[in-house]
Amino acid sequence: MSSLYESQKAMRQKRRAALQRGVVAILDVGTSKVVCMILQFDPSVQVDAASGMGAIANHGAFRVAGVAKTQSRGVRFGEINSMEESERAIRTAVQGAQKMAGIRVDHVIACFSGARPRSYGLVGKVDLDKGLVADQDIGRVLAACDVPDYGAGREAIHAMPVNFALDQTSGLSDPRGQIGHELAVDMHLLTIDSRSMQNLLICIKRCDLELAGVASSSYASGISALVEDEQELGAACVDIGGGSTAVSVFLRKHMIFADSVRMGGNHITSDISQGLQVPHAMAEKIKALHGGVVATGLDDREMIDTGGDTGDWEIDRRQVSRSELIGVMRPRVEEILEEVRAKLDGAGFNNLPSQRIVLTGGSSQIPGMEGLASRILGQNVRLGRPLRIHGLPQAATGPDFSACIGLSLYAAHPQDECWDFAMPAPCVGGRSFKRAAQWLRENW
Amino acid sequence: MQPINRKPSNQGQPHGQKPAKQHLSYSSNIKPLGSVAQGTAQTLFGQKASKQLPKRDPAPSRTSYKLQRLWLTPMVRSMAKAAIPTLGLLAIGFYLVNNQGLRDHISTRYAETRESIQTRPEFMVDLMKVSGATDRVGDQVRAASQIELPASSFELDLPIIRKRIEALDSVKAASLFLRTGGVLDIVIEQRNPVVIWRNKNGLELLDANGIRAGVSQSRLDYAKLPLIAGEGANADIAQAMSIFAAARPFENRVRGLMRIGTRRWDLVLDRGQIVQLPETEPVAAVERLVAWQSAQQILARDIKTIDLRNPSRPYLRLTPFAMEELRRVRSINLGVETKL
């Protein structure tokens, strides 16, 4: 955890440098689209967390200066598949956003939609020497968390203290200065496949950019699509994207669980393409224009020209009824939602006080989605659109941009993570001494 | 059996009646076949055309991406926009200041180029045309304009030439035009002399407003113009002209008008006769004289001066001989012996 601690800490420093320069880019490398958003920060409006201003109150601190969206290439399941192609897509998006903003941007905060996230709940416990919680005690208790063996090829991207408990009192958000004997912490650790993170890092480096932070897209879309009450009382955000569906559960304004289903809108499209035997582009078009999940009697009579790309106009003048289309789409949507259900059940979502589920992401716009989701996931389902942020163009306000917008909120006002606290001295010092010795050994 | 490709005729069907159902369906069967064939061709062609176009890669090349980022860097931008041009200009200026030969070369080249452009035939003036002036005034204008033709139109300063021309007494106003074909057109509005004024400096020509319209060497050059004389005679040319007009019945005897004391006129006739006119209403006095002349031939008499200054009582001054004769006649009438 220490190497990670350092790399994340370095990223934090870069983020701070970027905020001082006042410009940072948000990069969402998705399966179906790549979005780059350039944020301009006004340092005079910057409000620190100590004053009690939350993420929403911090809105005025930044302005969206440029947004560019391009079709994603070389990305599957939210992971980079072809480096060259996705680098080109990132370049296109970054250049477009820079052109719109007229600003050069060097620091990028990126998010992952795939990369097989896995979340762990960690518990740490420490005895207080002075009977009073001091700043370093927080670091100590975070360091005392017993980290599970999450595998060699994985890396933590979020490690957030979710809940502090002092002796018998649980549910503290900031225990500093309080009196007690034993401090315990619940930490939410989210790990992802380190290979895909490395790939993204290389891609971004090849675009002459520096990574100033990473976030899971399930977390980001949860920030923007859930309203404050939902985050407080407990809700799940389901971001149905192109190649993967991100699931996150929030309670008391902290993410307590995140996962992703490796299925999304692209699978619906390929189902249509295979089931109706139409080209992929046409399948995408009829999905977007005529798609649905609930068939009515009228849909039998609504015929959709599928055309075809066979070159033989005479025989390929096919039409499908809308109910056929729905018949192709619905099983896949049901499958996705059932997977989401399984993930939520595994996370114990049923035990939460409120079981609100918010659907967002591009595929949540399929008509009838809400009704179908409420049948599979539970009664309390709504469609969520992201918050409005300053300077956002109208074209980027749809639910498919909720991860981007959440990421920009995260960039403006990141939640405390474990690496924001000072690690206890012996651990850090011993480590650095060891590293110095190793460096000497290697070079002489 | 009907041929397939012939349109079924309506022969045998009564006019106004619908063709048989069979015919309708038959004809509607044929038509789509043709149109289908056509439509297929077009659609196929269109699809082919769109397919042959390669999909354009919207991604910028790595070089253009880097260049754009470089251009968006504030330092580079301000360098390219302000610093480099300023430095360049400064360097050029410094080099010029320190290089006399180059400066000379530039100035001679500049002068040569300027000269070669100015002396192009399109810009040359070869001809001067003076219109609206008599020959004599025209010659004066030519001389006064001080232009040596042919000259480049760049060198002709028309306002100055115009001032020079208008400085002539005989020219009231002048307009100058550069016409196509290298013609300098000078349109003159002449100042016409109406009287000739003899003063200390000689003979001057005056126009109706008393403004000098020229100088004459000899009275004979302008024999037709009436003569005025005396100091301040140019002050009231209009009155002088109306006096001359009133004296027209004996104009062949009029020599001229003499201004006396810069306030009134003497009408000078030949044989040394002088008609003294009043300061006010001299024309009326001349008209009375005309009446008098026609009644009594007063001017034909041996009178030296007719004093009309007092309108109620004219005075006559006789010549000494006439005075002598008058006395003699009077004494005869009185019966006095005359000494012979």
Side-chain angles (χ1 to χ4, degrees):
Chain A
M1 195 163 155
S2 255
S3 75
L4 170 87
Y5 176 87
E6 269 147 35
S7 73
Q8 289 277 16
K9 200 144 195 176
M11 258 195 253
R12 275 294 156 102
Q13 235 138 36
K14 276 182 202 158
R15 177 190 156 268
R16 208 165 297 132
L19 290 201
Q20 251 166 14
R21 271 193 53 193
V23 180
V24 70
I26 296 298
L27 194 64
D28 177 16
V29 184
T31 315
S32 56
K33 70 180 189 317
V34 174
V35 183
C36 179
M37 206 143 95
I38 291 179
L39 308 181
Q40 229 176 353
F41 285 86
D42 184 359
S44 61
V45 197
Q46 188 81 297
V47 184
D48 58 346
S51 67
M53 304 286 253
I56 290 177
N58 211 10
H59 271 195
F62 68 88
R63 190 175 69 82
V64 179
V67 182
K69 167 190 160 183
T70 184
Q71 190 185 1
S72 176
R73 289 174 296 167
V75 179
R76 291 183 67 201
F77 304 117
E79 294 154 19
I80 287 169
N81 193 33
S82 157
M83 191 80 90
E84 185 70 26
E85 287 285 290
S86 31
E87 185 203 333
R88 282 161 164 274
I90 292 173
R91 254 190 346 231
T92 315
V94 172
Q95 191 180 38
Q98 277 181 346
K99 203 168 183 176
M100 181 172 164
I103 310 170
R104 178 199 163 124
V105 68
D106 289 319
H107 299 278
V108 147
I109 296 178
C111 77
F112 283 96
S113 50
R116 299 178 187 276
R118 211 175 287 159
S119 56
Y120 300 89
L122 312 185
V123 182
K125 212 176 266 186
V126 76
D127 284 332
L128 299 175
D129 311 328
K130 298 172 189 161
L132 192 78
V133 184
D135 275 352
Q136 64 264 29
D137 290 328
I138 307 282
R140 229 151 47 86
V141 74
L142 289 172
C145 286
D146 46 346
V147 180
D149 179 21
Y150 46 69
R154 298 188 69 81
E155 208 167 328
I157 60 167
H158 291 295
M160 300 165 175
V162 174
N163 179 31
F164 288 98
L166 197 56
D167 295 339
Q168 306 308 318
T169 323
S170 183
L172 302 174
S173 60
D174 187 1
R176 280 177 298 179
Q178 297 193 33
I179 298 162
H181 299 292
E182 192 187 57
L183 181 66
V185 68
D186 294 321
M187 191 157 80
H188 175 229
L189 177 72
L190 189 70
T191 66
I192 55 164
D193 211 12
S194 69
R195 208 163 35 81
S196 36
M197 178 155 170
Q198 294 300 328
N199 285 346
L200 183 69
L201 235 170
I202 291 167
C203 254
I204 285 172
K205 204 160 265 177
R206 274 163 68 162
C207 296
D208 299 338
L209 301 168
E210 269 186 286
L211 197 63
V214 280
S216 161
S217 84
S218 38
Y219 176 51
S221 47
I223 295 175
S224 70
L226 299 183
V227 300
E228 213 162 347
D229 279 359
E230 287 167 345
Q231 290 182 12
E232 177 73 35
L233 298 173
C237 173
V238 179
D239 182 354
I240 311 175
S244 62
T245 300
V247 183
S248 58
V249 179
F250 278 72
L251 182 64
R252 291 228 291 264
K253 300 206 175 147
H254 290 288
M255 179 171 71
I256 56 169
F257 172 77
D259 206 338
S260 85
V261 175
R262 288 163 77 78
M263 259 188 289
N266 282 8
H267 299 84
I268 303 174
T269 307
S270 62
D271 278 358
I272 295 170
S273 176
Q274 286 168 19
L276 304 180
Q277 302 206 340
V278 289
H280 200 270
M282 174 57 81
E284 181 69 37
K285 184 179 155 194
I286 62 175
K287 179 186 84 171
L289 290 180
H290 308 283
V293 287
V294 180
T296 61
L298 187 67
D299 293 331
D300 287 332
R301 296 196 295 277
E302 192 183 327
M303 301 305 283
I304 303 162
D305 282 318
T306 59
D309 217 7
T310 53
D312 196 347
W313 191 83
E314 258 175 299
I315 62 162
D316 200 2
R317 256 177 90 196
R318 286 175 293 143
Q319 285 187 321
V320 291
S321 69
R322 183 157 182 254
S323 44
E324 273 179 276
L325 177 66
I326 289 170
V328 174
M329 287 173 70
R330 186 179 170 114
R332 179 62 87 165
V333 176
E334 278 174 351
E335 190 187 353
I336 293 172
L337 292 174
E338 269 156 14
E339 284 281 333
V340 170
R341 174 81 263 168
K343 300 276 182 194
L344 288 177
D345 285 345
F349 182 64
N350 290 334
N351 304 327
L352 254 55
S354 153
Q355 290 172 19
R356 166 61 65 96
I357 290 173
V358 177
L359 294 179
T360 184
S363 305
S364 72
Q365 290 163 298
I366 298 174
M369 192 66 159
E370 204 176 352
L372 185 63
S374 65
R375 278 185 45 201
I376 295 171
L377 299 177
Q379 285 300 314
N380 211 347
V381 174
R382 72 170 178 98
L383 294 182
R385 293 181 141 261
L387 292 171
R388 294 303 304 267
I389 54 178
H390 189 50
L392 193 71
Q394 175 67 37
T397 54
D400 39 345
F401 283 86
S402 54
C404 293
I405 292 165
L407 201 57
S408 51
L409 295 174
Y410 168 79
H413 187 73
Q415 197 145 13
D416 288 337
E417 306 224 19
C418 130
W419 30 83
D420 289 329
F421 298 97
M423 273 287 204
C427 177
V428 174
R431 182 80 187 177
S432 58
F433 180 75
K434 238 187 264 172
R435 277 183 65 193
Q438 190 188 359
W439 185 82
L440 279 172
R441 247 203 323 279
E442 276 170 6
N443 290 280
W444 272 282
Chain B
M1 218 175 98
Q2 279 185 310
I4 280 179
N5 53 357
R6 197 205 291 167
K7 205 175 177 183
S9 63
N10 280 350
Q11 278 178 358
Q13 296 282 337
H15 283 289
Q17 199 182 332
K18 276 188 177 178
K21 177 94 179 171
Q22 199 185 357
H23 276 146
L24 254 184
S25 62
Y26 175 69
S27 64
S28 62
N29 267 350
I30 287 184
K31 273 197 172 173
L33 263 180
S35 59
V36 161
Q38 266 186 350
T40 313
Q42 279 170 2
T43 315
L44 274 181
F45 185 74
Q47 280 184 350
K48 258 188 184 171
S50 66
K51 260 192 161 179
Q52 278 166 356
L53 285 173
K55 273 193 177 173
R56 203 179 64 84
D57 184 5
S61 71
R62 193 167 289 174
T63 326
S64 82
Y65 174 76
K66 283 190 176 168
L67 280 178
Q68 197 219 16
R69 284 174 61 80
L70 193 69
W71 180 239
L72 285 174
T73 312
M75 183 81 171
V76 174
R77 216 176 168 122
S78 58
M79 282 284 278
K81 277 186 167 172
I84 289 175
T86 315
L87 283 178
L89 285 179
L90 281 180
I92 292 171
F94 191 71
Y95 185 68
L96 278 181
V97 163
N98 286 321
N99 197 333
Q100 177 67 44
L102 184 65
R103 263 187 295 159
D104 291 348
H105 180 68
I106 289 175
S107 55
T108 48
R109 279 303 300 273
Y110 174 74
E112 276 170 21
T113 317
R114 197 189 156 94
E115 182 70 27
S116 71
I117 291 172
Q118 286 185 350
T119 53
R120 285 175 73 84
E122 292 88 338
F123 298 127
M124 294 303 283
V125 175
D126 308 313
L127 204 70
M128 190 193 298
K129 195 178 103 186
V130 180
S131 49
T134 57
D135 290 348
R136 191 178 356 206
V137 176
D139 289 342
Q140 283 175 359
V141 165
R142 272 171 223 277
S145 64
Q146 299 171 17
I147 305 171
E148 278 183 30
L149 293 180
S152 167
S153 57
F154 285 94
E155 289 159 2
L156 294 181
D157 192 348
L158 295 185
I160 285 182
I161 297 171
R162 181 178 164 199
K163 255 180 210 163
R164 276 188 211 143
I165 293 173
E166 285 184 344
L168 287 174
D169 291 333
S170 49
V171 175
K172 198 173 182 182
S175 327
L176 280 78
F177 304 95
L178 276 175
R179 307 279 188 203
T180 51
V183 179
L184 175 64
D185 191 359
I186 303 177
V187 179
I188 299 289
E189 197 186 330
Q190 226 175 314
R191 188 168 277 149
N192 290 319
V194 292
V195 289
I196 187 162
W197 178 32
R198 188 191 294 281
N199 57 14
K200 284 181 280 190
N201 305 327
L203 292 169
E204 279 184 14
L205 302 170
L206 298 183
D207 74 347
N209 296 321
I211 299 170
R212 201 163 76 152
V215 182
S216 176
Q217 298 302 319
S218 158
R219 173 75 175 93
L220 294 177
D221 289 346
Y222 296 92
K224 284 183 179 172
L225 293 185
L227 179 78
I228 58 174
E231 194 186 342
N234 57 345
D236 203 349
I237 300 294
Q239 200 177 42
M241 294 314 290
S242 47
I243 291 170
F244 282 123
R248 181 145 308 144
F250 43 89
E251 66 179 342
N252 52 344
R253 293 209 50 210
V254 172
R255 284 289 171 269
L257 275 175
M258 176 81 146
R259 192 74 168 170
I260 305 295
T262 66
R263 62 184 177 86
R264 65 168 197 89
W265 295 104
D266 269 5
L267 184 62
V268 180
L269 305 180
D270 60 354
R271 294 201 282 112
Q273 277 186 335
I274 290 173
V275 181
Q276 293 177 318
L277 299 175
E279 192 178 341
T280 56
E281 297 183 358
V283 181
V286 174
E287 280 165 355
R288 278 204 302 280
L289 178 68
V290 169
W292 200 359
Q293 160 74 3
S294 61
Q296 299 186 354
Q297 296 292 314
I298 185 74
L299 296 176
R301 303 188 182 212
D302 201 0
I303 294 170
K304 196 180 174 205
T305 308
I306 304 172
D307 187 352
L308 299 175
R309 284 177 291 175
N310 186 350
S312 56
R313 180 176 292 223
Y315 295 90
L316 303 179
R317 187 180 299 161
L318 307 185
T319 59
F321 178 75
M323 197 64 207
E324 219 35 52
E325 283 300 295
L326 184 63
R327 280 204 193 103
R328 200 173 60 83
V329 172
R330 275 185 185 157
S331 59
I332 289 169
N333 287 351
L334 290 170
V336 177
E337 286 285 323
T338 51
K339 287 180 269 180
L340 287 174

